[in-house]
Amino acid sequence: MKAKDQRLAELKARIPEVTPVEAAALVERGAALVDVREPDEVAQGSPPGSHRIVRGFLELRIEDAVSDPERAVLVMCAGGVRSLFAAEGLRLLGYKDVRSVAGGFNRWKKDGLPVEVPRALNERERERYSRHLLMPEIGDKGQVRLLESRVLLIGAGGLGSPAAFYLAAAGVGKLGLVDMDAIERSNLQRQILHTDERTGTSKVQSAVRTLKALNPDIELVGHETRLEARNVEEIFRGYEVVVDGSDNFATRYLVNDACVKLGLPNVHGSIYRFEGQVSVFWPRHPARRGPCYRCLYPAPPPPELAPSCADAGVLGVLPGVIGTLEAIETIKLLLGLGDPLVGRLLHYDALRQRFSELTLAPDPACRYCAPGAAFPGYVDYEVFCSTRAG
Ligand SMILES: [Zn+2]
């Protein structure tokens, strides 16, 4: 007997095997199915919900997929041989209940069990996003998720510029931009999407041009309009996360109210002189109940108390910090990573170079987001400047 055959016989004696039909039933009951085939094989189809970890990285990455060594793990390859070796590797790592799927994916398919063809990254995408792919927290799965995600940016100004740059560079597949203004020369000290020669032209068109040059493979949708009660839901429809970089109260309240009504996370940022703040308003976060913007500020201040747009100066770099933090929160939400700023307000003081954090509780009497509250309707406030310059 050849050494390989002998080794295989030993493994078969040691590693329990299950048929694909049995494997599918075990997955229903909570077992993890790990597909260890090569990416080009997986690209042809793989069981839905399986963890796709190429054999060479199995021992390094299994913990991210299956953290509990007591959980049943079913290993699958194409024909049921490689999976025996892979199963042995997992047993050595301390996984107690590891089984190999006899006949592998070929038999899975022949038995008529469900198959999905995962969106695979092409060579160009692999190169572009290689530094994401190297991180197990993102990897192929996370990058595909980003490429399939849809984010709406309110404002292509000071906050929208860095947020849009980084979200486009990260490969967010569809980026919408809402802005109705034209570029003014006084914007260029902070609105880095735009250029001097484009002064007087549409911000949205300028932003689309800049972002297209940075990443031609993503979809950019311009909404050259003022956000109002009559159009807000139509514009928001189809997006998963809204990033607020608006520069006036009317828009900020409208964004909040629509996000509350539609259940969307609202990544909020604002800036004033040398200070800025970031939070995620998402009362319907699946795990943590945080406030909405109206829990904090039930109604806008009277216009005479808000500084005029021309008075509200800001350090040009400041929105770069705050808009970038908004982009990070957005990526975290899309990938389900880390601890989002839900129920927390992060404050940044550039002069003292200091971040501080405030815990925010939802207002149980909030007319907009209190559990069971009937939506009170949108309000088109008169547009006046907030305490900040977008
Ligand atoms: Zn609220």
Side-chain angles (χ1 to χ4, degrees):
M1 202 189 244
K2 279 188 195 163
K4 186 193 85 183
D5 295 336
Q6 194 177 344
R7 173 100 178 101
L8 206 55
E10 281 169 23
L11 282 176
K12 271 192 177 265
R14 214 162 43 228
I15 309 280
E17 288 183 294
V18 290
T19 67
V21 171
E22 287 164 344
L26 285 165
V27 169
E28 288 283 308
R29 298 210 297 272
L33 181 59
V34 180
D35 186 343
V36 296
R37 293 174 303 148
E38 297 296 313
D40 58 323
E41 299 177 280
V42 170
Q44 308 296 311
S46 173
S50 59
H51 302 279
R52 290 141 198 161
I53 310 174
V54 67
R55 174 68 189 96
F57 283 100
L58 183 64
E59 283 87 349
L60 292 173
R61 296 190 179 158
I62 187 66
E63 253 193 273
D64 296 315
V66 185
S67 53
D68 177 9
E70 307 284 333
R71 186 174 170 197
V73 182
L74 314 168
V75 188
M76 172 185 276
C77 63
V81 174
R82 279 178 288 167
S83 56
L84 284 168
F85 288 92
E88 175 78 349
L90 294 183
R91 280 167 58 121
L92 290 173
L93 273 184
Y95 286 85
K96 304 258 163 44
D97 181 3
V98 188
R99 304 178 222 183
S100 170
V101 180
F105 182 69
N106 294 337
R107 188 165 156 200
W108 176 281
K109 223 162 70 177
K110 223 174 272 164
D111 289 351
L113 291 163
V115 171
E116 71 176 10
V117 178
R119 156 86 154 83
L121 299 171
N122 61 37
E123 222 165 291
R124 186 184 155 94
E125 289 166 336
R126 294 208 153 272
E127 190 179 357
R128 177 177 273 276
Y129 306 114
S130 65
R131 296 306 184 275
H132 277 168
L133 303 182
L134 287 170
M135 292 200 289
E137 295 85 353
I138 302 179
D140 280 47
K141 204 170 153 193
Q143 190 60 50
V144 166
R145 170 79 186 93
L146 289 178
L147 288 165
E148 289 175 346
S149 64
R150 307 171 306 275
V151 173
L152 182 67
L153 291 159
I154 311 298
L159 295 167
S161 284
F165 260 123
Y166 276 113
L167 293 174
V172 166
K174 179 177 172 180
L175 261 188
L177 294 138
V178 188
D179 206 308
M180 67 167 303
D181 293 336
I183 301 163
E184 294 173 29
R185 188 156 284 120
S186 66
N187 298 154
L188 299 176
Q189 156 256 30
R190 63 198 179 282
Q191 301 185 3
I192 55 174
L193 278 171
H194 315 301
T195 59
D196 193 76
E197 62 170 17
R198 295 184 203 156
T199 302
T201 67
S202 146
K203 273 190 190 173
V204 159
Q205 283 175 31
S206 162
V208 167
R209 211 170 128 195
T210 302
L211 297 168
K212 198 94 205 152
L214 173 65
N215 191 347
D217 297 334
I218 60 167
E219 185 189 353
L220 294 156
V221 183
H223 302 272
E224 272 183 89
T225 180
R226 182 177 298 286
L227 214 53
E228 288 172 347
R230 59 171 179 87
N231 64 12
V232 65
E233 284 192 22
E234 192 191 319
I235 291 173
F236 279 26
R237 196 162 298 136
Y239 291 101
E240 300 168 88
V241 179
V242 176
V243 181
D244 188 2
S246 63
D247 63 354
N248 63 81
F249 281 117
T251 306
R252 204 176 294 166
Y253 279 92
L254 209 52
V255 168
N256 177 74
D257 299 351
C259 282
V260 169
K261 184 168 178 214
L262 302 173
L264 295 170
N266 170 12
V267 181
H268 168 91
S270 70
I271 46 174
Y272 178 63
R273 292 170 53 80
F274 295 100
E275 290 169 64
Q277 52 190 38
V278 196
S279 189
V280 174
F281 296 120
W282 193 13
R284 274 202 243 163
H285 183 275
R288 185 190 302 167
R289 167 131 169 77
C292 79
Y293 186 69
R294 281 194 193 265
C295 290
L296 276 54
Y297 310 104
E304 61 273 18
L305 289 186
S308 81
C309 300
D311 289 345
V314 66
L315 181 72
V317 191
L318 189 82
V321 175
I322 301 298
T324 303
L325 289 171
E326 288 189 86
I328 289 179
E329 285 305 301
T330 304
I331 302 265
K332 281 164 58 190
L333 291 173
L334 292 171
L335 297 179
L337 283 180
D339 189 11
L341 279 173
V342 173
R344 298 189 289 145
L345 183 85
L346 187 65
H347 177 266
Y348 173 60
D349 179 340
L351 286 182
R352 299 166 82 192
Q353 203 60 281
R354 196 169 288 171
F355 284 97
S356 54
E357 195 184 306
L358 214 70
T359 302
L360 304 176
D363 175 2
C366 176
R367 290 174 59 227
Y368 280 78
C369 77
F375 187 70
Y378 294 110
V379 186
D380 274 326
Y381 295 107
E382 190 191 331
V383 174
F384 56 89
C385 267
S386 64
T387 53
R388 43 161 304 233

